[in-house]
């Protein structure tokens, strides 16, 4: 079962996807409203739905809206630590943060800038070495309780970040840099979040040109500790999505190219597949919902 946001007959709804059918929640029309609820009783509230339709008859939208922010943690796997040390002119900051009590956390995206499965992700046109970062993301409500999980692609410009860590916001936050799977899997359906397999495949001209795999067992920090650090001094009235960091980073010689496809999977949580474009212009549709790639199917 997944909490999904979708468009149908010109309306945006929030509902539950189960066995190929989508049913709208009777009591909420935004994910933000769902995440403003306490976790107690959520299971029962997710059963309070209207008539279901075939999932094929709706257009899935990213599972975030309103004031829900997407944040990300960094250097939470040994592979990420070693990759930053290799790419950066300031390697010591990454070595220090890996074991420091305070984790690295950064704002990744606001809802309108998030894309979902099937929509393009982008590499900056001033970056020569960009990569996808497949990450387990926790979804928390306004009370800081983990209510679900999803898949995040934290697209990153390695060369820009590597030049100077102060460039991280530019390397990480731009149009097309954040993709989330189309659904949020409720926490009770992911009993062992530290026992998941994460896979990444990059397809170019029909051939897999890079692939990798890791497990969330290798996370160096507990997701609840990352969330607690994030919520320490910040309120999230409509909840927050927190990507927990990548354990898969291609070697420095590899760079994503326009036309590639990025396929990510996390067992029990979901999949995310996105074509890659280059530059800002091919992502201009983000600023205007009527220009979403699938908009024709959902607008009146
Ligand atoms: O320190 C830079 C960010 C690293 C990151 O995004 C990750 O480890 O996933
Ligand atoms: Mg990352």
């Amino acid at each position: 079962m997944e909490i999904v946001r979708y468009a149908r007959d010109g309306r945006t709804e929030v509902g539950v996807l189960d066995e190929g059918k989508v049913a709208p929640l009777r009591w909420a029309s935004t994910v933000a409203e769902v995440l403003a609820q306490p976790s107690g009783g959520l299971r029962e509230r997710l059963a309070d739905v209207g008539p279901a339709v075939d999932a094929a008859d709706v257009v899935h939208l990213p599972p975030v809206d309103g004031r829900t922010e997407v944040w990300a943690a960094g250097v939470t796997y040994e592979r990420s630590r070693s990759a930053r040390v290799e790419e950066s002119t300031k390697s010591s900051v990454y070595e220090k943060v890996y074991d420091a009590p305070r984790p690295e956390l950064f704002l990744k995206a606001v809802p309108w800038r998030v894309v979902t499965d099937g929509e393009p992700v982008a590499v900056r046109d001033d970056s020569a070495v960009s990569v996808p970062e497949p990450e387990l993301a926790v979804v928390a409500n306004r009370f800081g309780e983990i209510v679900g999980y999803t898949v995040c692609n934290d697209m990153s410009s390695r060369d820009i970040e590597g030049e100077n860590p102060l460039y991280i916001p530019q390397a990480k936050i731009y149009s097309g840099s954040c993709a989330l799977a189309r659904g949020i899997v409720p926490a009770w359906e992911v009993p062992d979040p530290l026992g998941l397999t994460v896979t990444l495949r990059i397809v170019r001209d029909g051939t897999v040109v890079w692939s990798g795999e890791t497990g969330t067992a290798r996370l160096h920090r507990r997701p609840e500790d990352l969330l607690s650090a994030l919520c320490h001094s910040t309120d999230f009235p409509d909840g927050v999505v927190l990507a927990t960091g990548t354990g898969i980073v291609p070697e420095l010689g590899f760079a994503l190219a326009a036309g590639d496809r990025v396929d990510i999977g996390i067992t029990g949580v979901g999949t995310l597949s996105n074509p890659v474009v280059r530059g800002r212009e091919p992502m201009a549709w983000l600023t205007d919902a009527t220009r979403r790639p699938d908009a024709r199917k959902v607008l009146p």
Side-chain angles (χ1 to χ4, degrees):
M1 176 211 277
E2 293 170 63
I3 301 166
V4 289
R5 184 170 157 261
Y6 55 93
R8 184 168 72 98
D9 299 336
R11 283 196 322 274
T12 298
E13 295 178 342
V14 169
V16 169
L17 169 66
D18 206 10
E19 298 187 356
K21 298 270 186 191
V22 177
L25 295 180
R26 291 189 204 276
W27 50 276
S29 56
T30 62
V31 177
E33 288 169 77
V34 177
L35 298 180
Q37 300 284 318
S39 63
L42 182 61
R43 197 169 188 156
E44 293 69 34
R45 284 195 294 278
L46 291 183
D48 183 8
V49 294
V53 297
D54 278 342
D57 293 337
V58 308
V59 170
H60 286 276
L61 301 171
V64 277
D65 52 28
R67 294 176 296 177
T68 308
E69 295 165 17
V70 181
W71 282 68
V75 199
T76 52
Y77 288 80
E78 162 54 28
R79 173 58 191 140
S80 182
R81 189 193 69 84
S82 65
R84 307 308 151 204
V85 167
E86 188 188 6
E87 81 198 9
S88 183
T89 56
K90 295 279 175 289
S91 59
S92 64
V93 299
Y94 298 96
E95 288 175 317
K96 279 187 191 147
V97 82
Y98 186 68
D99 283 316
R102 185 188 293 278
E104 178 198 357
L105 299 170
F106 55 92
L107 177 66
K108 179 66 187 172
V110 289
W112 69 265
R113 212 179 273 132
V114 175
V115 307
T116 194
D117 194 50
E119 296 178 333
V121 291
V123 296
R124 293 179 59 119
D125 66 6
D126 56 355
S127 167
V129 186
S130 289
V131 291
E133 292 189 356
E135 306 189 6
L136 174 69
V138 301
V139 182
N141 63 14
R142 72 179 297 160
F143 306 101
E145 301 168 305
I146 296 179
V147 294
Y149 296 89
T150 191
V151 181
C152 178
N153 178 357
D154 169 25
M155 291 282 289
S156 301
S157 310
R158 293 188 74 183
D159 51 341
I160 294 176
E161 178 180 342
E163 192 178 334
N164 186 325
L166 294 179
Y167 295 156
I168 283 180
Q170 295 172 74
K172 294 281 195 179
I173 309 164
Y174 57 87
S175 297
S177 71
C178 182
L180 294 179
R182 63 188 190 178
I184 298 168
V185 179
W188 58 85
E189 297 211 348
V190 187
D192 182 15
L194 294 183
L196 311 175
T197 301
V198 183
T199 54
L200 168 65
R201 217 170 53 148
I202 299 168
V203 181
R204 184 171 297 164
D205 299 327
T207 304
V208 176
V209 288
W210 203 89
S211 64
E213 180 177 314
T214 191
T216 52
R218 294 185 178 186
L219 253 175
H220 185 57
R221 297 181 189 265
R222 297 185 322 154
E224 53 269 41
D225 293 341
L226 292 169
L227 184 63
S228 149
L230 179 63
C231 296
H232 182 271
S233 292
T234 311
D235 287 317
F236 295 101
D238 291 343
V240 64
V241 176
L242 173 59
T244 56
T246 188
I248 305 176
V249 187
E251 54 283 357
L252 254 183
F254 181 87
L256 273 180
D260 288 354
R261 197 185 73 231
V262 176
D263 296 335
I264 296 172
I266 303 184
T267 49
V269 177
T271 58
L272 183 56
S273 178
N274 302 94
V276 178
V277 296
R278 186 170 185 84
R280 198 175 97 206
E281 218 294 316
M283 297 305 300
W285 56 271
L286 274 175
T287 62
D288 175 359
T290 63
R291 292 172 65 198
R292 282 203 99 85
D294 272 337
R296 283 182 316 283
K297 289 194 227 157
V298 296
L299 292 172

